[in-house]
Amino acid sequence: MNQANQNLLHPSRQVGADLAAWRKVGGGEGLLAALADPQIIVSKLQDANLCGMGGAGFPTWRKWEAAVAAQSKNGDKYVVCNANEDEPGTFKDRVLLANTPHQVIEGVLIATVACRANKAILYVNPHQTESIASITPAIEQWKNSDLFIRIENYLGKPLDLQLVETSGRYIGGEETAVISWLEGGFPFPAASRLSLPKAASTVSRPLSTIPKPSPIFRKSLPKVRNGTNLWVWAMPQAQNSTRSPATY
């Protein structure tokens, strides 16, 4: 297990929906560090070499930097944590959401601080019933916490943190399909991201990336990617099957 996995999936991090237990093991410290100096969040991610978990390994800081610079016509900015996860045989997102939901939420909240976003959405596949059962009370605990008030004070406006169930369709996990669904449309990829009204002011990250800023700002994960950082989850394969395990 590499260093990133040791941080994200260490037994001490798997406290379920109990925010008090999460804070006892250092939860919230990353968010407080980010709030102490929001202007360096993006450069901190760049220094840590945090990249997306897709095949391209796109640098996370570039997406966050674009969202920081983006202008919104109505003043709203969005952070979306994409947990659609509908690929056959994969279960990385549901493990994190069910066992360490506060780590995911804290990563989302660090992104809201960096981008000065006032809308934070956890986009979760409705088939992940254990994930929804864990993340729903976890969200409410954050809303009633002193940390949430600090974020709203920094933003100068209320922060809307919510769970939105996806369509449950595989194609609904593509980035423009996510935004289309959140805008009330059909979850299908758009020909151009620019055709979606909210796209310019939205930063969307896969769930497997979003928890990592928390340990980065706690200084327990100084560098997270050298080359390609892979997550591999394998389901038992049927006899004579030619399908490979999914890799992230």
Side-chain angles (χ1 to χ4, degrees), residues 130-225:
E130 290 184 5
S131 300
I132 291 174
S134 182
I135 204 74
T136 300
I139 287 173
E140 292 307 311
Q141 290 175 50
W142 274 98
K143 287 181 177 179
N144 294 314
S145 72
D146 59 301
L147 294 173
F148 203 81
I149 294 172
R150 291 193 187 201
I151 297 171
E152 291 186 322
N153 288 340
Y154 169 70
L155 295 175
K157 63 176 72 173
L159 172 60
D160 180 17
L161 172 65
Q162 61 174 306
L163 165 71
V164 174
E165 293 187 7
T166 78
S167 65
R169 295 179 171 90
Y170 173 75
I171 198 66
E174 192 276 336
E175 185 176 52
T176 58
V178 172
I179 298 174
S180 177
W181 179 255
L182 295 176
E183 290 181 345
F186 187 77
F188 195 79
S192 169
R193 200 175 191 272
L194 299 178
S195 66
L196 300 167
K198 294 178 182 176
S201 56
T202 300
V203 56
S204 174
R205 297 305 297 157
L207 185 141
S208 50
T209 304
I210 205 71
K212 292 181 181 177
S214 176
I216 287 172
F217 281 89
R218 284 202 309 270
K219 298 182 180 179
S220 58
L221 191 58
K223 207 166 188 67
V224 295
R225 183 180 183 273

Side-chain angles (χ1 to χ4, degrees), residues 49-118:
N49 206 18
L50 179 60
C51 295
M53 302 301 289
F58 192 82
T60 296
W61 69 270
R62 289 189 182 277
K63 278 201 173 186
W64 289 30
E65 183 180 57
V68 170
Q71 299 296 316
S72 172
K73 291 181 180 179
N74 63 2
D76 289 338
K77 282 191 176 184
Y78 298 79
V79 168
V80 180
C81 175
N82 185 353
N84 186 58
E85 190 175 54
D86 202 31
E87 303 91 337
T90 59
F91 51 94
K92 67 186 191 313
D93 290 359
R94 67 197 72 184
V95 167
L96 288 167
L97 285 173
N99 297 319
T100 180
H102 294 296
Q103 187 162 213
V104 176
I105 295 172
E106 185 170 343
V108 170
L109 295 176
I110 290 173
T112 66
V113 172
C115 305
R116 297 192 70 91
N118 61 314

